């Protein structure tokens, strides 16, 4: 074994550990309660533009981990909300895509009737330039949903 190998091996190990810690931080957006209705929304910004928060709300309960003020290009965030009852919960996050007068609405609806993303849309002057796809992994009482906004 030469000197380069001896130095490189620990550095590679540190890089792998650092990546694992970073990934663990991304996956955890706070502890969700187990005695009610919860929503975890993973929002992926697959555009080349920073999105700016224009509004957010829940129909009941509160955000545990609210949305960021801005979401950088090619990055993601996890937004979580919860309510103490099982009656239903809707969480809405609106982001503006700058310089286009375009608003993206990410909506999660979690109720006894099922989990949907009805209300998720792109609106505004250049809405046709973007597409939002959604994937619901789990529903009532704990909804996990992923959204990806990307250019058409």
């Amino acid at each position: 074994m030469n000197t380069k190998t001896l130095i490189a091996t620990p550095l590679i190990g540190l890089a792998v550990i650092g990546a694992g810690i970073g990934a663990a931080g991304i996956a955890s957006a706070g502890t969700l309660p187990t005695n009610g209705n919860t929503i975890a929304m993973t929002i992926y910004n697959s555009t080349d533009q920073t999105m700016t928060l224009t509004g957010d709300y829940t129909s009941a309960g509160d955000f545990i981990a609210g949305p960021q003020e801005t979401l950088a290009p090619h990055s993601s965030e996890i937004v979580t909300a919860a309510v103490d009852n099982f009656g239903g919960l809707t969480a809405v996050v609106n982001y503006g895509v700058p310089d286009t007068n375009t608003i993206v609405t990410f909506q999660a609806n979690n109720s006894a009737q099922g989990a949907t993303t009805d209300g998720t849309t792109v609106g505004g002057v250049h809405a046709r330039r973007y597409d939002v796809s959604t994937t619901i992994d789990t529903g009532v009482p704990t909804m996990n949903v992923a959204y990806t906004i990307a250019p058409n």
Side-chain angles (χ1 to χ4, degrees):
M1 201 180 242
N2 63 34
T3 305
K4 290 180 185 174
T5 304
L6 289 174
I7 293 171
T9 302
L11 292 178
I12 292 169
L14 286 174
V16 169
I17 291 170
I21 291 170
I26 292 169
S28 175
T31 303
L32 293 175
T34 58
N35 62 338
N37 195 320
T38 62
I39 295 174
M41 306 166 71
T42 302
I43 301 171
Y44 295 98
N45 178 3
S46 292
T47 73
D48 292 331
Q49 300 200 19
T50 298
M51 298 191 313
T52 303
L53 185 67
T54 61
D56 60 48
Y57 67 89
T58 63
S59 62
D62 296 301
F63 284 107
I64 296 169
Q68 303 173 122
E69 288 297 317
T70 59
L71 188 57
H74 306 285
S75 66
S76 65
E77 69 176 341
I78 299 174
V79 176
T80 55
V83 65
D84 287 339
N85 65 56
F86 294 96
L89 175 61
T90 294
V92 177
V93 176
N94 294 310
Y95 276 107
V97 183
D99 303 324
T100 62
N101 296 319
T102 301
I103 302 293
V104 183
T105 299
F106 303 97
Q107 184 165 330
N109 310 293
N110 196 23
S111 71
Q113 290 75 39
T116 74
T117 57
D118 295 350
T120 297
T121 187
V122 182
V125 176
H126 299 290
R128 293 183 185 170
R129 293 184 183 177
Y130 302 96
D131 183 46
V132 177
S133 61
T134 64
T135 304
I136 299 173
D137 292 327
T138 60
V140 181
T142 302
M143 180 180 187
N144 287 290
V145 59
Y147 306 84
T148 301
I149 178 169
N152 281 334

